[in-house]
Amino acid sequence: KIFVEVEKARLTSMMAQIKEAEGNAEEAANLLQEVQVESFGAMERREKTEYILNQMRLVLLKKDYVRTQIISRKLNPKLLETDDFQDLKIRYYEYMVQYWLHEKKYLDASKSYLSIFNTKCVQDDEAKWKPALTAHALYLALAQYDNEQEDMLNKLDELQAKKLDKVPVFQQVIKIFLRKEIVAWPLTDEVEIRAHPVFQDTPHEGGSTRWSMLKKRVVQHNIKVISGYYEQIHTARLCELIGLSEKEAEAELSELVCSKFVAAKIDRPAGTIKFGRRETYTDRLNDWSDSITKMLDLVENTCHMIQKEQMVHAARAKLKAKK
């Protein structure tokens, strides 16, 4: 068995191809998914990688996403960075995009597109890097706001500025989420943005869901901007600014507060929203302590300056007396 394990794996692959040709993709996946090629020492690295990618493709066809993740971990991403593995690297990350989109993890999908974009053969071909860069930018915009997402947005805007200039509509989407300004919905270039494959049902299902998510992210961005400029705002005014009904605005704000995106309190009877965290006794004591420290520093500096002036005045008086 040990001496013919590679031959057995190849025969199993051929059998799986026959089953798939007959239209029985599920049986083909069941045949191939159990083959542990990663432990075969006699198989070449490229053949082994292609075999694992074929396993990923077949389990994705039968929508077995748990097994997709298990199989994906058999491949070392560092191995895919070598020059002779560039085509396999692109295939691997395309499969991973399918997995991350099913899991609704847009930040990871964005990272997969960034890996495709950073591949040398993609960088050399404008027809390849444009779709990869724009998909990376859009999925990054769809991702939940956190420090990592904000850092990636800033890096994309700074490091890929020249290439983003060639796709100004998508560059503008990045700028929207970086500026501390309220964004009007619908967006200025809505038709062109919506025509992008990210918001279509091909190659990946759920384009309309992702479009709704983009609107949600724009609303969340607007609320975050408003929370930076207002300490307190009337609910009616907030609804006017973000273009939502009172019920929708409350739902969005509540979700943001629960996810610790912003700190706010809603006063329904008064119809107001108060932004900012409530100060604890410790915070107040710390502020008081800081204020006392600053005041004592100012007093000390003032004393030094008075003493300096007195010494200068005394020295001048002695010089005059000698004259």
Side-chain angles (χ1 to χ4, degrees):
K1 250 185 166 181
I2 293 168
F3 292 113
V4 293
E5 61 185 5
V6 176
E7 285 74 12
K8 186 190 174 185
R10 286 171 184 159
L11 286 169
T12 308
S13 180
M14 288 166 67
M15 187 68 179
Q17 284 173 11
I18 293 164
K19 291 288 182 188
E20 191 181 359
E22 290 172 355
N24 198 342
E26 189 171 341
E27 199 172 329
N30 292 337
L31 273 170
L32 211 62
Q33 68 189 21
E34 300 300 336
V35 184
Q36 308 291 328
V37 286
E38 67 277 7
S39 61
F40 295 179
M43 191 180 273
E44 289 292 324
R45 281 193 313 166
R46 186 175 179 85
E47 187 184 356
K48 198 185 289 185
T49 306
E50 285 174 342
Y51 203 101
I52 292 168
L53 288 174
N54 199 28
Q55 287 178 327
M56 283 180 73
R57 182 182 66 82
L58 286 170
V59 293
L60 279 169
L61 276 176
K62 73 166 190 174
K63 300 189 184 301
D64 187 350
Y65 295 101
V66 174
R67 197 170 288 275
T68 302
Q69 188 189 26
I70 293 166
I71 294 170
S72 70
R73 288 176 177 174
K74 293 178 181 180
L75 285 174
N76 184 358
K78 288 182 181 177
L79 172 70
L80 299 170
E81 297 298 330
T82 54
D83 293 338
D84 54 330
F85 276 74
Q86 287 185 22
D87 55 329
L88 301 181
K89 177 186 175 183
I90 293 167
R91 268 179 65 193
Y92 170 74
Y93 283 111
E94 282 173 351
Y95 295 152
M96 289 310 296
V97 166
Q98 289 183 51
Y99 171 74
W100 293 126
L101 289 183
H102 174 263
E103 298 294 314
K104 300 284 191 293
K105 293 186 177 179
Y106 297 117
L107 187 64
D108 291 303
S110 171
K111 287 176 184 176
S112 295
Y113 273 113
L114 181 61
S115 298
I116 293 171
F117 172 73
N118 287 330
T119 309
K120 192 177 182 299
C121 63
V122 173
Q123 288 277 332
D124 296 338
D125 187 351
E126 189 172 313
K128 288 181 179 177
W129 68 251
K130 271 188 177 179
L133 181 63
T134 52
H136 167 57
L138 289 175
Y139 280 121
L140 199 53
L142 289 173
Q144 176 71 47
Y145 174 83
D146 58 20
N147 291 335
E148 186 182 8
Q149 188 252 12
E150 188 178 28
D151 184 50
M152 285 179 74
L153 279 172
N154 281 302
K155 280 182 180 176
L156 177 61
D157 187 47
E158 291 170 15
L159 301 178
Q160 304 300 337
K162 287 183 180 178
K163 288 188 174 177
L164 282 170
D165 286 339
K166 295 182 180 179
V167 282
V169 172
F170 301 98
Q171 185 181 36
Q172 194 58 34
V173 173
I174 296 297
K175 297 284 187 189
I176 281 171
F177 290 95
L178 288 174
R179 292 181 187 138
K180 294 190 184 298
E181 296 173 9
I182 292 174
V183 183
W185 185 271
L187 300 173
T188 313
D189 303 297
E190 182 175 328
V191 176
E192 194 172 340
I193 295 167
R194 192 155 194 179
H196 194 278
V198 167
F199 301 112
Q200 304 299 314
D201 287 327
T202 51
H204 307 297
E205 293 177 359
S208 56
T209 307
R210 290 190 286 275
W211 182 253
S212 302
M213 182 57 73
L214 181 65
K215 183 183 179 182
K216 189 182 181 76
R217 295 296 180 230
V218 169
V219 169
Q220 290 179 346
H221 167 78
N222 288 343
I223 292 173
K224 186 172 184 293
V225 170
I226 291 164
S227 71
Y229 290 107
Y230 285 86
E231 282 186 5
Q232 187 170 310
I233 187 170
H234 286 284
T235 310
R237 178 60 177 153
L238 178 71
C239 296
E240 186 186 335
L241 288 170
I242 63 177
L244 294 178
S245 67
E246 190 171 324
K247 191 176 179 181
E248 289 172 328
E250 272 194 20
E252 287 293 342
L253 185 60
S254 300
E255 189 180 326
L256 293 176
V257 171
C258 290
S259 61
K260 296 184 179 178
F261 188 73
V262 293
K265 283 182 81 175
I266 301 170
D267 186 346
R268 273 186 177 170
T272 58
I273 296 161
K274 197 170 185 179
F275 292 107
R277 283 183 172 79
R278 187 179 177 183
E279 278 192 342
T280 62
Y281 296 117
T282 309
D283 293 332
R284 288 182 185 179
L285 193 61
N286 286 337
D287 288 342
W288 179 80
S289 177
D290 289 340
S291 300
I292 292 293
T293 305
K294 285 176 185 175
M295 186 189 72
L296 291 173
D297 287 340
L298 285 169
V299 169
E300 192 176 353
N301 287 334
T302 308
C303 289
H304 283 307
M305 289 171 78
I306 291 168
Q307 195 175 3
K308 182 182 173 184
E309 286 297 321
Q310 285 176 342
M311 288 170 71
V312 169
H313 184 72
R316 282 177 182 168
K318 282 182 181 179
L319 284 170
K320 281 181 183 178
K322 284 181 181 178
K323 285 177 182 179

